[in-house]
Amino acid sequence: MSLVLSAAQMRAVDAAAIGVLGVPGLVLMENAGRGVADIVARALPALRAAHIAVVCGAGQNGGDGFVVARHLANRGAYVHVYLALPREKISGDALVWFQVLEKMPGVSIEDGAAETDVATWYEWLQPAVVVVDAIFGTGVRDDVRGTPAAAIAAMNGVRALRVSVDLPSGIDADTGAAHGAAVVPDITATMACRKLGLVLDPDAFVGRVEIVDIGVAAAEGLLLTAARAQGPLCHWLEAESIGQLLPRRLPSAHKGTAGRVMLVAGSPGKTGAALLAALGALRGGAGLVTVASTRAGQIALDAKVVEAMTAVYTDGDDADATSFERLASVFPWMQAAAVGPGIPTGPGMQALVSRLAAELAVALVLDADALNLLGRDAASALRRAPAPRVLTPHPGEMARLMGMSTADVQKDRLGLARRLAAETGAVVVLKGARTVIAAANGTAYVNPAANPSLGTAGSGDVLTGLITGLLGQGMAALDAACAGVFVHGQAAEDAAKVLGTRRLLAGDLPEAIARVMEKQLSA
């Protein structure tokens, strides 16, 4: 799992590299610019005599751009540097590299700081086969106007490979939102690690993200300390680290040792949700899965399930005063549980969900209507829990838990996931494109998957079952949530290759989960 930092955390890392490690800022800027030049060279092997435009600001990002320009010129490219901010504002390390660049033969420098005409900028940039964007990086704060806006519009209009340095100019480093005009790159070459603005918004136009080594990776521990001083860390989920988390079965394993789980799920008309959750748990490796439902729900489920067993917690259409005890008689045999997919929503069920959340002595996943029934009382119930809890809301359910609109949830997915985790002590899985997983201490993870094929009824039920199955196999709650979310997203990618993103059904996911997990375990 690789780091994803905020703008403040990245500034702290830079400051520690300079102030504690003693690496001069000039060296960091040199490493950054050379790394970007390497990325351009890989994307355009025929560099010699190629026309390349580098559009620079006056700050650190512009300084990186000056270094990029010098290295590309050294490799034989015809490099044209265009200043989008006043020359007199260039200072510090950026000024040193600008003064070097001024003396470089074969590099032309155009001061375009006063040019607000898009057509003029387009005329300047149109001959280039590569345009490097080095105006703002993480430094943008307000809406982009004037000359930078004209330069950005022209960059987006030319038929050239666009490479942004650190962050597309105009994109907020912490949210991915555009501050008015923003560059739409083919590649973003980001320094040291991903930034929050590159990963949180799946619709942000950031292109392919490549990480540039700025030469301080060996001092990771020191730099992490600097970053943590600015707030909890966020991580990007990756296949290699997920594969190391997944449970392995010993040759002597049997159904009783491979994970025993119970799903409190299903009711008449909603037994499909229970079935999908059961399949998710089974394909995730659980050895024994029992689905507990209403009496009528069990009858319907018995006609559908094959590998799972069923049980009853109420003879009526709603949970009753005996439901907890009926479930408790089975739970001693279980190692993890889930409640939510397809359950009734009456007052009896609300009382049962609250009691399960507060008292159940095994790890518990709460999803769907279990979350809706808890509502704003979630924190009071979950804070008393004797075992780990995992909450898996979609944005609408998160809105009800937090007492706000879905739109407000979508504006601050990371912040709200962290807040709910802190309030409840649970691991929070805020579903959606780029699902966010947050722990109570603020540590968070972002899943790469942004697959529209998961926007189909029942896909969340499969995820609930998968996470529960992993918990039943002994995984810690945070690890099970991260692994479940990652495998679920990869399963959608796997199934969509055959079925397409518009035709994928939730029922296609369990077998794909098995394929993905086998691949991860074999890697």
Side-chain angles (χ1 to χ4, degrees):
M1 301 177 193
S2 57
L3 275 177
V4 183
L5 297 185
S6 68
Q9 287 173 323
M10 192 63 222
R11 286 194 294 271
V13 166
D14 284 340
I18 295 169
V20 181
L21 292 179
V23 180
L26 282 170
V27 173
L28 294 178
M29 192 171 284
E30 170 71 10
N31 292 344
R34 183 175 60 242
V36 177
D38 289 342
I39 288 171
V40 172
R42 288 195 295 270
L44 186 73
L47 262 181
R48 185 162 297 279
H51 287 262
I52 295 177
V54 184
V55 183
C56 295
Q60 296 292 99
N61 199 243
D64 292 342
F66 301 145
V67 177
V68 174
R70 174 166 54 83
H71 279 283
L72 292 176
N74 285 338
R75 300 182 191 204
Y78 294 132
V79 180
H80 304 266
V81 174
Y82 299 92
L83 300 181
L85 291 170
R87 180 188 296 244
E88 58 270 20
K89 289 189 175 182
I90 303 172
S91 61
D93 296 331
L95 179 59
V96 173
W97 290 128
F98 178 71
Q99 290 170 340
V100 170
L101 195 65
E102 285 185 303
K103 300 168 187 171
M104 285 281 296
V107 177
S108 68
I109 300 175
E110 180 75 40
D111 189 344
E115 185 54 72
T116 60
D117 181 41
V118 176
T120 300
W121 275 96
Y122 183 85
E123 183 180 347
W124 285 343
L125 301 180
Q126 191 272 333
V129 294
V130 177
V131 174
V132 177
D133 153 39
I135 303 177
F136 294 123
T138 61
V140 68
R141 296 290 183 270
D142 303 313
D143 281 354
V144 178
R145 300 184 179 89
T147 296
I152 288 170
M155 279 192 274
N156 289 338
V158 297
R159 300 181 66 179
L161 177 74
R162 289 184 291 274
V163 180
S164 285
V165 176
D166 207 19
L167 204 79
S169 290
I171 291 292
D172 189 284
D174 291 336
T175 68
H179 288 279
V183 173
V184 180
D186 299 293
I187 301 171
T188 295
T190 195
M191 306 310 155
C193 62
R194 292 174 179 84
K195 313 304 182 295
L196 292 174
L198 295 174
V199 305
L200 290 179
D201 183 355
D203 294 327
F205 296 108
V206 301
R208 184 177 76 250
V209 177
E210 297 198 29
I211 297 174
V212 176
D213 180 5
I214 59 172
V216 293
E220 181 182 17
L222 183 149
L223 301 179
L224 287 178
T225 299
R228 284 195 190 96
Q230 301 299 315
L233 299 180
C234 186
H235 305 266
W236 181 250
L237 296 182
E238 294 174 322
E240 182 179 357
S241 53
I242 294 298
Q244 294 171 356
L245 292 177
L246 292 175
R248 268 78 173 165
R249 283 193 185 185
L250 295 172
S252 59
H254 55 81
K255 67 181 181 183
T257 61
R260 304 183 302 274
V261 305
M262 172 172 280
L263 309 174
V264 182
S267 58
K270 299 179 182 178
T271 53
L275 175 61
L276 289 168
L279 290 172
L282 288 163
R283 289 298 189 186
L288 192 152
V289 175
T290 300
V291 183
S293 190
T294 65
R295 176 70 66 186
Q298 184 199 38
I299 293 170
L301 277 167
D302 278 343
K304 296 178 179 180
V305 299
V306 177
E307 295 89 352
M309 298 185 298
T310 63
V312 173
Y313 62 84
T314 180
D315 294 317
D317 295 330
D318 192 10
D320 56 39
T322 67
S323 293
F324 186 85
E325 284 68 27
R326 294 173 79 167
L327 289 171
S329 67
V330 182
F331 276 129
W333 302 98
M334 300 299 160
Q335 294 157 307
V339 58
I343 59 174
T345 57
M349 197 70 207
Q350 184 173 31
L352 177 61
V353 167
S354 294
R355 192 169 177 188
L356 289 171
E359 299 180 24
L360 191 62
V362 298
L364 177 67
V365 180
L366 295 106
D367 182 35
D369 277 324
L371 297 172
N372 293 329
L373 292 172
L374 281 178
R376 296 291 289 143
D377 296 327
S380 61
L382 292 164
R383 272 296 183 187
R384 306 196 305 272
R389 301 292 185 252
V390 179
L391 313 183
T392 61
H394 60 52
E397 292 157 353
M398 187 70 167
R400 289 185 279 277
L401 288 168
M402 304 301 289
M404 60 179 60
S405 70
T406 302
D408 286 337
V409 169
Q410 293 295 72
K411 290 177 185 176
D412 187 18
R413 288 169 54 81
L414 176 60
L416 290 171
R418 281 172 161 162
R419 178 177 146 193
L420 182 61
E423 290 176 355
T424 61
V427 173
V428 173
V429 175
L430 179 51
K431 295 182 289 195
R434 300 279 165 80
T435 290
V436 174
I437 302 105
N441 66 0
T443 301
Y445 300 81
V446 179
N447 191 46
N451 194 320
S453 64
L454 285 172
T456 185
S459 64
D461 301 319
V462 176
L463 176 62
T464 294
L466 174 57
I467 294 173
T468 309
L470 294 173
L471 286 169
Q473 295 171 75
M475 290 186 70
L478 184 58
D479 289 345
C482 288
V485 167
F486 184 86
V487 168
H488 185 256
Q490 291 298 302
E493 298 280 350
D494 178 274
K497 291 175 183 177
V498 178
L499 301 168
T501 58
R502 297 182 182 181
R503 287 161 287 278
L504 187 69
L505 302 179
D508 301 319
L509 292 172
E511 284 196 17
I513 284 170
R515 289 193 294 270
V516 169
M517 290 188 71
E518 189 62 26
K519 181 178 178 181
Q520 292 292 324
L521 290 167
S522 301

